[in-house]
């Protein structure tokens, strides 16, 4: 039976997040992302449908965001704000969560986190057609990572178009989930415009073992699947007559402006942010 955390347990959990972040850096990670999305614990505190508390952590939005803000502050104090990102999923009903007042939650939360100097804010299923996306972008002064809404069956062109729309409307970086899971060589496939593997079974993403998680083939691994050598890249094939005409460029997954947005601490490599 679900039960409320006591205030003492909340304080202990905040400390646990800070300890986990320190352990991650000690293990060699460059930073951490605080997961406040998709119906998990922090998101449950944000959402009106799951947070029925009557103390300082429940009730109006200003109190429902408190736990998330305390966790993020503790993690930032432990490892440095520039090594911390926060992931949110405005309007998500995953795992049965019901936010109720989505706009108020996420604008208030963005405003509370803005002064901390975090590495980024990460929006799940970001949609540039939704006004809230633009309001969050306006409220958030730092780099914004956007996870695009993709069709159930997606192509490389779908990924490029969705990424371009978000980059054109304020995102600095793009996060991809299902395409990366199903394609171990996704960056190369996107560069070449090659066919993409599709996720075989969503359920298999959340159970143990390699099946449906790390067993997807790379280009050329299966009969009938093209290899990267057989696909003409954007710079064209080698030819004794000279280079082939360059095809129309695809939109970059990361714009040049993103490099400066990371304040010199990060550089971009084929759509991924990696530490210098």
């Amino acid at each position: 039976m679900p039960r409320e955390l006591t205030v003492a347990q909340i304080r202990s959990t905040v400390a646990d997040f800070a300890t986990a972040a320190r352990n991650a850096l000690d293990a060699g990670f460059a930073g951490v992302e605080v997961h406040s999305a998709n119906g998990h614990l922090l998101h449950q505190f944000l959402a009106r449908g799951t947070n029925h508390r009557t103390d300082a952590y429940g009730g109006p939005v200003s109190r429902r965001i408190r736990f998330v803000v305390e966790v993020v502050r503790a993690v930032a104090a432990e490892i440095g704000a520039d090594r911390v990102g926060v992931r949110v999923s405005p309007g998500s009903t995953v795992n049965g969560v019901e936010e109720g007042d989505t706009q108020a939650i996420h604008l208030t939360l963005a405003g509370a986190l803005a002064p901390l100097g975090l590495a980024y804010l990460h929006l799940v299923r970001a949609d540039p057609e939704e006004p809230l996306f633009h309001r969050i972008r306006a409220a958030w002064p730092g780099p914004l990572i956007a996870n695009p809404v993709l069709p159930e069956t997606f192509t490389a062109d779908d990924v490029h178009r969705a990424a371009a729309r978000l980059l054109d409307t304020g995102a600095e970086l793009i996060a991809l989930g299902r395409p990366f899971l199903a394609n171990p060589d996704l960056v190369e496939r996107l560069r070449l415009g090659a066919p993409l593997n599709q996720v075989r079974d969503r359920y298999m993403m959340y159970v143990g073992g390699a099946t449906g998680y790390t067993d997807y083939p790379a280009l050329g691994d299966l009969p009938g699947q093209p290899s990267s050598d057989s696909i003409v890249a954007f710079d064209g094939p080698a030819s004794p007559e000279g280079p082939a005409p360059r095809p129309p460029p695809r939109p970059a997954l990361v714009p040049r402006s993103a490099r400066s947005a990371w304040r010199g601490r990060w550089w971009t490599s084929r759509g991924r942010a990696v530490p210098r």
Side-chain angles (χ1 to χ4, degrees), residues 99-129:
E99 292 181 333
D101 37 13
T102 294
Q103 177 167 296
I105 291 169
H106 291 282
L107 292 181
T108 305
L109 181 61
L113 297 178
L116 302 183
L118 302 177
Y120 62 83
L121 182 67
H122 176 183
L123 294 185
V124 176
R125 293 184 63 80
D127 185 353
E129 299 298 321

Side-chain angles (χ1 to χ4, degrees), residues 11-134:
R11 291 172 181 160
S12 175
T13 302
V14 169
D16 287 343
F17 271 92
T19 299
R22 171 53 58 192
N23 290 342
L25 261 65
D26 289 347
F29 288 89
V32 302
E33 181 174 87
V34 175
H35 191 359
S36 183
N38 295 346
H40 294 284
L41 180 63
L42 271 62
H43 196 192
Q44 292 169 24
F45 271 76
L46 296 178
R48 191 166 58 193
T50 45
N51 186 341
H52 300 157
R53 303 178 71 99
T54 57
D55 61 4
Y57 292 90
V61 167
S62 60
R63 297 209 299 252
R64 299 205 311 270
I65 70 168
R66 178 176 174 177
F67 181 43
V68 177
V69 174
E70 288 182 355
V71 166
V72 175
R73 283 177 175 163
V75 171
E78 181 67 30
I79 65 172
D82 61 340
R83 294 180 178 273
V84 181
V86 177
R87 188 177 198 235
V88 295
S89 54
S92 172
T93 59
V94 173
N95 291 319
V97 75
E98 279 291 342
E99 292 181 333
D101 37 13
T102 294
Q103 177 167 296
I105 291 169
H106 291 282
L107 292 181
T108 305
L109 181 61
L113 297 178
L116 302 183
L118 302 177
Y120 62 83
L121 182 67
H122 176 183
L123 294 185
V124 176
R125 293 184 63 80
D127 185 353
E129 299 298 321
E130 290 291 332
L132 182 57
F133 171 81
H134 300 280

